[in-house]
Amino acid sequence: MYRVAKASEFLAITGASINDIKITKKAIVWPLQKCRVIDVTPVNYTFEVNAMSAEKLPFLLPAVFTIGPRVDDHDSLVKYAKLLSDHSHDSHNVKELVQGVIEGETRVLAASMTMEEIFKGTKDFKKEVFGKVQLELNQFGLLIYNANIKQLVDVRGHEYFSYLGQKTQMEAANQAKVDVAGAKMKGEIGAKERQGLTLQNAAKIDAETKIISTQREGEGKKQEIMVKSQVKIYENQREADVAEANALLATKKAGWAQQAKMAEVEAEKAVAIREAELQKEVERKNALAKTEQLKAEQLSKATVDYEIKVQEANSVLYKKQKESEAVLYERQKAAEAQKVAAEAQLYAAQQAADAELYAKRKEAEGMKALAEAQGFKIRTLLTSLGGNYNALRDYLMIESGLFKDIAKINAEAIQGLQPKISVWSNGDTRDGSGAANSAMKEIASVYGALPPLFQTVHEQTGMLPPAWMGSLPSPGAGKAITNQPEN
């Protein structure tokens, strides 16, 4: 049977396969085992403990203790299950057990303290009782969750606290009468003294007031003159600061304007350099594209030729097969007509036909094997090259001598050309400034390469550069152009 305890309960299981006792929240209870539910909810115990102080004065100590099993310690739960699990929390037996422990420890502690110590040190007394009682309850697996000790109460026939209260009240009443008489005497004497002091202080204050008013007038005039002087000094200082700030602002504006102008010039030069680089990259890409296109055309042509040859071989094979079948059929018909007359001649003719048919078939199988071998060769090469069709194409072109044919075609294409060579001079950019002109050498070299580039493009395509980049010389104006970069 599967048993599950509530949130405030535990299961205590004993019996077969359990050495001592098993405390758990949920478990399967097997045959020959017993399971008991333990309720660990704390319970309030209210007592009035009869105790006696060191002066042999009896008193009542009302107390309320909240006590329950210690749920955070497995050993304490085992002790509680063994010793007290057969009784409910509020049973008479458990209550007597707890009350006996509390009364015993409280009486022992009260006997070692005077009534005054107990009354004034209630907090310490409670702490001592709490600690000693908890030590005794540990052997039962119990824990004091809360302890509340009320005010001490007199035992009937021993009204110590009542007499002590009456004594305090009488002492307070007599002291109050003495205080009232003393206060009345001090009030009459103090009133006369205050009247005399009032007249003396009034005369003294009048004299001091006249002296202070004269001093204040002189200090006021002196302070006014000092303030005017400080205001004038501050105004002069502010004017000097404003003039200095205006000069600094003008200097910074001039520097910023110079930086902005230099940045514009650098940006224009960078744009021109970038355009030239991009044009060069475009030309290079075009050349690569043309080369790839030529390679693709040659590869396509080779593939088509291969497929055509395969188809022709298959056609020849099929044609020869059909011819062989026709010859065989004719000879078989002739042999059947002459079978009765010339059986031996028919056998000879049939053997000759079979030999010829075998030869033709072998020839066809050889051509088919050749075609399959070529296909296998191409697949093997493609696998060896890692599936790289470009490498396979280059290998087939080399094997078939296609590169040699391309070189021959290119050589024949340029025969009879009359190249035009133009010589350009960009002049000497060195002006003796040394390191001051070295920052512009790179830009000057780029600008020096632009005129021959534009001239070549114009001669080959007829295109002219934009007007903002410059213009080419008219025909006959000279073959040398000097391009001097701006400093």
Side-chain angles (χ1 to χ4, degrees):
M1 180 186 297
Y2 190 75
R3 297 288 299 275
V4 179
K6 296 180 181 179
S8 60
E9 296 176 347
F10 280 89
L11 300 178
I13 304 175
T14 57
S17 71
I18 298 177
N19 294 330
D20 188 8
I21 186 171
K22 179 180 179 182
I23 304 297
T24 182
K25 276 285 189 181
K26 54 186 177 179
I28 298 176
V29 181
W30 302 101
L32 302 179
Q33 290 184 350
K34 289 186 178 181
C35 176
R36 185 177 183 84
V37 178
I38 303 175
D39 188 2
V40 295
T41 305
V43 178
N44 291 328
Y45 297 96
T46 304
F47 310 103
E48 285 188 355
V49 181
N50 289 308
M52 185 176 291
S53 65
E55 302 100 328
K56 306 295 189 296
L57 295 175
F59 63 91
L60 291 177
L61 180 65
V64 179
F65 284 81
T66 303
I67 301 175
R70 187 188 295 271
V71 297
D72 57 351
D73 186 15
H74 183 268
D75 294 337
S76 298
L77 286 174
V78 172
K79 291 179 181 178
Y80 179 78
K82 289 180 178 179
L83 300 176
L84 300 177
S85 62
D86 289 339
H87 306 282
S88 61
H89 279 355
D90 53 353
S91 67
H92 183 69
N93 293 332
V94 176
K95 186 174 182 180
E96 284 186 349
L97 173 65
V98 174
Q99 185 176 359
V101 173
I102 294 174
E103 287 182 352
E105 296 299 330
T106 303
R107 286 169 181 164
V108 172
L109 182 61
S112 64
M113 300 174 66
T114 63
M115 186 65 75
E116 192 70 19
E117 291 175 350
I118 296 173
F119 189 77
K120 291 184 178 180
T122 305
K123 184 177 181 180
D124 294 335
F125 181 73
K126 172 185 174 182
K127 186 176 180 181
E128 290 288 336
V129 172
F130 185 92
K132 292 182 178 297
V133 172
Q134 182 60 60
L135 289 176
E136 293 295 328
L137 294 179
N138 285 338
Q139 60 186 336
F140 300 102
L142 297 175
L143 174 67
I144 300 175
Y145 289 94
N146 184 35
N148 184 17
I149 297 177
K150 301 179 181 179
Q151 294 295 331
L152 303 179
V153 180
D154 289 325
V155 179
R156 182 175 296 181
H158 299 80
E159 288 79 12
Y160 174 80
F161 294 109
S162 298
Y163 293 151
L164 188 63
Q166 292 176 8
K167 176 185 176 183
T168 305
Q169 290 179 359
M170 294 301 295
E171 288 179 353
N174 293 332
Q175 185 65 35
K177 291 179 181 179
V178 173
D179 292 341
V180 169
K184 186 175 181 181
M185 179 188 67
K186 290 180 180 179
E188 292 176 356
I189 295 172
K192 297 297 183 181
E193 290 179 350
R194 291 295 175 86
Q195 289 178 359
L197 290 174
T198 301
L199 296 175
Q200 294 176 5
N201 291 333
K204 182 178 179 182
I205 290 171
D206 290 339
E208 291 178 351
T209 303
K210 292 181 181 179
I211 295 172
I212 292 172
S213 61
T214 304
Q215 292 177 351
R216 290 290 175 83
E217 290 179 358
E219 290 178 356
K221 293 180 180 179
K222 180 179 179 181
Q223 191 70 20
E224 183 179 0
I225 295 171
M226 184 182 298
V227 170
K228 289 182 178 179
S229 301
Q230 291 178 354
V231 169
K232 187 64 176 176
I233 293 171
Y234 179 74
E235 290 177 352
N236 294 336
Q237 186 176 359
R238 291 295 298 170
E239 290 178 357
D241 293 341
V242 170
E244 184 179 357
N246 291 334
L248 181 61
L249 178 61
T251 302
K252 289 186 177 181
K253 284 183 177 180
W256 293 336
Q258 182 180 2
Q259 292 178 0
K261 189 173 181 181
M262 291 178 64
E264 291 177 359
V265 173
E266 291 177 356
E268 292 177 358
K269 301 300 184 183
V271 168
I273 294 171
R274 184 57 180 167
E275 287 181 352
E277 292 176 352
L278 292 175
Q279 184 64 30
K280 181 179 178 181
E281 185 68 18
V282 168
E283 293 178 356
R284 189 176 67 83
K285 293 290 184 180
N286 290 336
L288 290 175
K290 291 180 180 180
T291 304
E292 292 295 331
Q293 183 180 3
L294 181 58
K295 290 181 179 179
E297 291 177 355
Q298 294 298 328
L299 179 60
S300 300
K301 184 178 179 182
T303 304
V304 171
D305 292 341
Y306 167 73
E307 293 178 353
I308 291 172
K309 289 180 180 180
V310 171
Q311 293 294 332
E312 290 178 352
N314 292 335
S315 177
V316 172
L317 175 62
Y318 181 77
K319 184 178 179 180
K320 289 184 177 182
Q321 287 178 349
K322 291 301 181 180
E323 290 177 354
S324 299
E325 291 176 357
V327 172
L328 177 61
Y329 181 77
E330 291 176 358
R331 291 184 179 181
Q332 285 178 351
K333 291 299 181 181
E336 290 176 358
Q338 299 174 3
K339 183 177 181 182
V340 177
E343 220 174 51
Q345 183 179 359
L346 177 60
Y347 178 76
Q350 187 176 1
Q351 290 296 323
D354 290 340
E356 185 178 359
L357 177 61
Y358 179 77
K360 297 295 183 181
R361 184 175 296 172
K362 289 298 181 181
E363 182 180 358
E365 290 177 357
M367 296 179 67
K368 182 178 179 181
L370 178 62
E372 291 178 352
Q374 290 179 351
F376 178 75
K377 175 183 178 183
I378 293 175
R379 289 195 299 271
T380 304
L381 289 174
L382 183 60
T383 303
S384 301
L385 296 174
N388 190 342
Y389 287 96
N390 294 330
L392 176 62
R393 178 195 60 200
D394 295 340
Y395 178 80
L396 293 176
M397 292 172 68
I398 293 172
E399 187 179 27
S400 62
L402 186 59
F403 283 119
K404 182 178 180 181
D405 296 338
I406 293 173
K408 183 177 179 181
I409 293 171
N410 291 335
E412 293 175 354
I414 63 174
Q415 287 181 0
L417 293 180
Q418 295 180 359
K420 182 179 180 181
I421 300 174
S422 299
V423 180
W424 297 81
S425 175
N426 293 315
D428 190 1
T429 59
R430 294 175 297 178
D431 55 0
S433 59
N437 197 32
S438 61
M440 299 298 292
K441 285 183 178 181
E442 295 297 329
I443 298 176
S445 63
V446 174
Y447 270 83
L450 293 178
L453 178 62
F454 291 156
Q455 182 68 26
T456 303
V457 172
H458 176 65
E459 291 176 354
Q460 295 181 1
T461 64
M463 296 175 63
L464 292 174
W468 58 270
M469 293 189 67
S471 60
L472 296 174
S474 59
K479 294 184 178 179
I481 297 177
T482 301
N483 182 19
Q484 292 290 343
E486 297 180 0
N487 291 330

